[in-house]
Amino acid sequence: AGRRLAYMNCFPESQVRINRWETNKKSNRFGRPVSYQVTFQDPKNPMWGTGAPNNTEQVHWTRCQHVCDTSHAYNSSVILAQPRCQQVLNNIMALAKIYHGSAEGFWKHCFPYLFLETHPQLGGDVEVDDEALKDMIEEMMNGLQKAGVTSGMAAKTVGGQVTDPTSQINIQLEAIAIKKRMPMRILKGSERGEMSSAEDDQSWNDQVVHHETSYLTPGIVRPCVNQLIAYGVVSPPQSSR
């Protein structure tokens, strides 16, 4: 009694590795982790200077709360589970390609291509000063020169067609919404005001409540509170009787 919780840290799977497993078949923790190798410094944001924590530490299971979300996929393991974004990862990557590719495509097609052709009546053996033409086009495209002079040639422009990526974006968003059983209005953040749908809102609220009651409370909150009670950090609840 009277113990105080100093701090708690939350680590992603990329910074925690199971170091040792329980091999005693008579133990009630058979097949579960005994210790973890925890990387305290995020490799993406390393810490420097005096007092910075060590990079890795071996942590016993009694000091850890192992979170394994199996509510979104059928899984026989309580230790390992499929990442929540794995089933929509391809769609998310496709969206990134569409968003970045649309800007690159617009940049390439917003400037027309210039082609120079000799007149057919001059025949096929026509002498063309290639270097002079290159210099002229370079000045027109990248300099202040806005006009060019050609002799025995005709110039024409060929412009690219800029395509609206909205339809492709909506296809990927619909795929994500279907896989996650999420209304499109909720996914796109347009559920407020006149755009809101009572049916979508009620359906999504039901899913959120189900996730809270079936996984968050029994799978995360209750085990964490029980562990704090066992170590005397939190007082046990009093009986209502």
Side-chain angles (χ1 to χ4, degrees):
R3 288 183 176 179
R4 181 174 60 88
L5 180 65
Y7 62 88
M8 296 179 67
N9 285 343
C10 181
F11 297 96
E13 183 181 1
S14 59
Q15 292 182 234
V16 181
R17 184 171 64 89
I18 298 176
N19 187 52
R20 187 160 60 92
W21 299 82
E22 179 60 65
T23 58
N24 184 10
K25 296 182 179 180
K26 296 182 179 181
S27 172
N28 60 351
R29 288 188 53 83
F30 172 69
R32 298 202 175 193
V34 174
S35 63
Y36 302 85
Q37 180 175 323
V38 181
T39 302
F40 284 87
Q41 294 192 37
D42 188 349
K44 298 180 180 179
N45 300 297
M47 294 179 289
W48 307 97
T50 304
N54 294 332
N55 190 31
T56 59
E57 291 287 350
Q58 302 295 327
V59 183
H60 196 259
W61 71 268
T62 54
R63 300 175 66 92
C64 299
Q65 176 69 34
H66 189 117
V67 177
C68 178
D69 188 358
T70 59
S71 61
H72 64 284
Y74 296 103
N75 192 11
S76 60
S77 175
V78 295
I79 304 301
L80 305 175
Q82 182 189 66
R84 270 192 164 269
C85 287
Q86 182 171 330
Q87 61 181 162
V88 296
L89 180 60
N90 290 335
N91 303 105
I92 295 175
M93 295 177 65
L95 281 173
K97 294 177 182 178
I98 295 173
Y99 286 130
H100 298 296
S102 61
E104 182 71 15
F106 175 79
W107 172 255
K108 287 185 176 181
H109 290 91
C110 64
F111 299 104
Y113 296 95
L114 180 64
F115 290 87
L116 299 176
E117 299 177 348
T118 60
H119 295 300
Q121 58 269 28
L122 296 178
D125 298 331
V126 179
E127 293 183 2
V128 178
D129 190 349
D130 294 334
E131 294 299 326
L133 288 177
K134 289 181 180 179
D135 293 339
M136 183 187 67
I137 295 175
E138 180 71 22
E139 288 294 330
M140 293 175 60
M141 293 296 180
N142 300 322
L144 299 178
Q145 181 176 327
K146 300 302 180 184
V149 178
T150 61
S151 177
M153 305 183 71
K156 68 176 182 179
T157 59
V158 177
Q161 182 178 1
V162 179
T163 305
D164 186 4
T166 303
S167 60
Q168 297 298 322
I169 292 175
N170 289 333
I171 290 175
Q172 299 300 329
L173 290 177
E174 288 177 1
I176 294 175
I178 293 172
K179 292 178 180 179
K180 287 300 182 183
R181 296 180 296 176
M182 180 184 297
M184 280 289 292
R185 299 178 189 273
I186 304 295
L187 178 62
K188 298 174 70 173
S190 58
E191 75 279 7
R192 297 182 299 274
E194 65 275 7
M195 296 294 293
S196 64
S197 171
E199 294 182 0
D200 289 347
D201 187 63
Q202 183 62 40
S203 175
W204 180 245
N205 288 339
D206 292 342
Q207 292 189 48
V208 172
V209 171
H210 176 73
H211 186 67
E212 292 175 348
T213 57
S214 63
Y215 170 68
L216 293 179
T217 299
I220 298 179
V221 178
R222 187 172 296 170
C224 183
V225 173
N226 289 339
Q227 196 167 2
L228 294 177
I229 292 175
Y231 290 130
V233 177
V234 176
S235 301
Q238 301 295 325
S239 176
S240 58
R241 296 181 179 178

